[in-house]
Amino acid sequence: MCPLLASSTCTPGVPTTSTSLIRGSGVFVHQPRAAAVCALRTARVRDILLVLPKIGSVRAARILAHCGIAHSRTLAGLSERQRSELITFFRA
């Protein structure tokens, strides 16, 4: 499972070893600051999808509907089923 999508405690100023999605280009960066991970956990899933290349508002809406995720849902608020659906969608 993606460490970013799993719930975790955030300690500002302490670097983590998880891989996370940062930057506007959708590039995966290794060892981000804990503050960045906390910010991503409170980000809406739809906003994260819109940052990815080749995913616009229509495709993001289709992905959310396919996975059964509300537009207002945050990464930290995803259920286990929604997490696994989203991960499976991008691995396929």
Side-chain angles (χ1 to χ4, degrees), residues 21-66:
L21 177 74
I22 349 182
R23 299 187 186 162
S25 63
V27 176
F28 282 93
V29 178
H30 210 64
Q31 294 185 348
R33 295 191 153 274
V37 173
C38 288
L40 284 173
R41 291 187 69 235
T42 60
R44 293 185 178 178
V45 178
R46 183 180 188 280
D47 295 338
I48 298 296
L49 291 175
L50 289 174
V51 169
L52 299 173
K54 297 185 180 182
I55 295 183
S57 60
V58 174
R59 187 171 286 174
R62 287 181 184 162
I63 293 169
L64 291 174
H66 174 78

Side-chain angles (χ1 to χ4, degrees), residues 58-75:
V58 174
R59 187 171 286 174
R62 287 181 184 162
I63 293 169
L64 291 174
H66 174 78
C67 297
I69 301 171
H71 291 277
S72 59
R73 190 61 86 172
T74 63
L75 283 175

Side-chain angles (χ1 to χ4, degrees), residues 60-91:
R62 287 181 184 162
I63 293 169
L64 291 174
H66 174 78
C67 297
I69 301 171
H71 291 277
S72 59
R73 190 61 86 172
T74 63
L75 283 175
L78 292 177
S79 69
E80 286 296 321
R81 184 197 58 80
Q82 291 170 329
R83 257 187 227 122
S84 63
E85 283 281 330
L86 191 59
I87 292 169
T88 304
F89 182 85
F90 282 105
R91 286 189 178 164

